[in-house]
């Protein structure tokens, strides 16, 4: 019954919101984190935040008591590049960040949340915007002009390796990514792409859809190949969009909604259980 929110400015910049009464969400807890939060992933009693902080690229927050979230651990990645994306599974967190002379992809042990430690890293050579993980593979939304989707093997966490990629049309960065079973959904500027990763080392483009404005976030059901995908966009006429991907070669806008005001939607999340 809780939603977890980060924002780019102000104090606090991390909030826990009770959505048990959906018509009347209420703030129950908050926290001011150093740096500017860029992305968030919640697993169990912990929220993992990717930050622009030069000394705390990963911030681990204990949310077991929603009214009193507490920063319990941080991870300082080499150099000062900003962390942009984070994903957590079990005792491992995965972080990606902007391009620098150091690695852009990190595998981090969070079994002791108060003391995250490096397991392995990989120099990608480009900015990595977001990451999702399934099994032995991490899927990265990349700034590469020839590998907008990059697939990293994490079968040996201490030695991750690039094992597959897909070149999408154009040179715009892929900035957002979601998983639905063995399908990847990706936002690349105004293009929505559906990609088959049944064989992760050889991803295949199934279909794409051009939209009138930038796609800022993609949400789906990561464990299942559900028909519907949800987009947060910069389309001021219809910021929220529902995509029907039942026929992956021909994804189509099924529904859309105008949100009051002219600001873009920056984030979307989906739960199959609420």
């Amino acid at each position: 019954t809780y939603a977890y929110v980060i924002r780019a400015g102000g104090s606090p910049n991390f909030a826990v919101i009770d959505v048990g009464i959906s018509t009347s969400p209420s703030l129950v807890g908050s926290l001011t984190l150093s740096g500017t939060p860029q992305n968030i992933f919640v697993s169990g009693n912990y929220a993992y935040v990717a930050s622009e902080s030069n000394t705390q690229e990963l911030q681990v927050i204990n949310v077991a008591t929603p009214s009193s979230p507490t920063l319990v651990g941080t991870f300082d990645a080499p150099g000062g590049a900003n962390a942009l994306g984070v994903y957590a599974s079990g005792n491992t967190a995965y972080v990606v960040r902007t391009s620098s002379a150091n690695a852009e992809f990190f595998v981090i042990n969070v079994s002791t949340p108060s003391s995250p430690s490096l397991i392995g890293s990989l120099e990608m050579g480009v900015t990595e915007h977001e990451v999702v993980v399934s099994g032995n593979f991490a899927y990265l939304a990349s700034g590469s002009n020839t590998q907008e989707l990059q697939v990293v093997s994490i079968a040996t966490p201490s030695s991750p390796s690039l094992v597959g990629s897909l070149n999408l049309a154009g040179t715009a960065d892929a900035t957002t990514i979601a998983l639905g079973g063995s399908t990847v959904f990706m936002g690349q500027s105004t293009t929505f792409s559906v990609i088959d990763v049944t064989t992760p080392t050889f991803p295949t483009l199934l279909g794409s859809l051009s939209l009138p404005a930038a796609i800022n976030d993609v949400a789906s059901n990561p464990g299942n190949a559900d028909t519907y995908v949800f987009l947060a966009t910069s389309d001021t006429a219809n910021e929220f969009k529902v995509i029907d991907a039942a026929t992956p070669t021909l994804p189509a806008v099924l529904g859309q909604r105008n949100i009051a005001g002219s600001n873009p939607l920056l984030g979307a999340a989906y739960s199959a259980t609420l």
Side-chain angles (χ1 to χ4, degrees):
T1 62
Y2 296 98
Y4 306 87
V5 175
I6 55 173
R7 62 178 181 175
S11 178
N13 53 12
F14 175 89
V16 183
I17 300 170
D18 188 341
V19 292
I21 302 174
S22 57
T23 56
S24 182
S26 59
L27 177 68
V28 295
S30 62
L31 183 64
T32 298
L33 300 169
S34 64
T36 302
Q38 292 296 308
N39 208 323
I40 183 173
F41 192 94
V42 178
S43 178
N45 287 328
Y46 295 93
Y48 302 89
V49 173
S51 173
E52 288 189 353
S53 169
N54 288 339
T55 59
Q56 300 181 358
E57 283 84 1
L58 174 65
Q59 297 167 328
V60 184
I61 298 113
N62 187 327
V63 292
T65 303
S67 60
S68 183
T70 306
L71 179 68
V72 294
T74 64
F75 175 79
D76 181 13
N82 297 334
L84 298 180
V86 60
Y87 190 98
S89 177
N91 291 323
T92 309
Y94 306 87
V95 172
V96 293
R97 65 178 185 171
T98 57
S99 178
S100 72
N102 298 290
E104 289 83 23
F105 175 78
F106 294 88
V107 184
I108 301 167
N109 183 343
V110 290
S111 59
T112 303
S114 60
S115 183
S117 59
L118 179 66
I119 299 175
S121 63
L122 182 62
E123 169 65 51
M124 307 299 297
V126 294
T127 292
E128 305 295 346
H129 292 276
E130 202 165 55
V131 56
V132 293
V133 173
S134 178
N136 288 326
F137 298 94
Y139 301 90
L140 281 59
S142 174
S144 168
N145 289 340
T146 57
Q147 298 180 341
E148 285 82 4
L149 172 64
Q150 295 178 321
V151 184
V152 174
S153 171
I154 50 175
T156 304
S158 61
S159 183
S161 59
L162 180 67
V163 294
S165 65
L166 181 65
N167 183 18
L168 298 176
T171 58
D173 289 5
T175 56
T176 180
I177 188 171
L179 269 173
S182 59
T183 305
V184 160
F185 305 106
M186 180 167 281
Q188 178 200 16
S189 184
T190 60
T191 301
F192 171 78
S193 296
V194 182
I195 301 165
D196 182 7
V197 291
T198 302
T199 304
T201 53
F202 294 98
T204 304
L205 179 66
L206 298 176
S208 61
L209 175 66
S210 181
L211 295 170
I215 302 164
N216 300 318
D217 204 13
V218 180
S220 65
N221 185 354
N224 297 285
D226 285 353
T227 298
Y228 305 119
V229 185
F230 308 93
L231 307 182
T233 79
S234 295
D235 180 3
T236 55
N238 290 290
E239 294 89 346
F240 178 71
K241 299 182 187 295
V242 181
I243 305 299
D244 185 351
T247 304
T249 55
L250 292 170
V253 176
L254 179 67
Q256 48 192 352
R257 176 70 183 234
N258 181 34
I259 309 299
S262 58
N263 293 323
L265 288 186
L266 299 182
Y270 170 74
S271 173
T273 59
L274 294 179

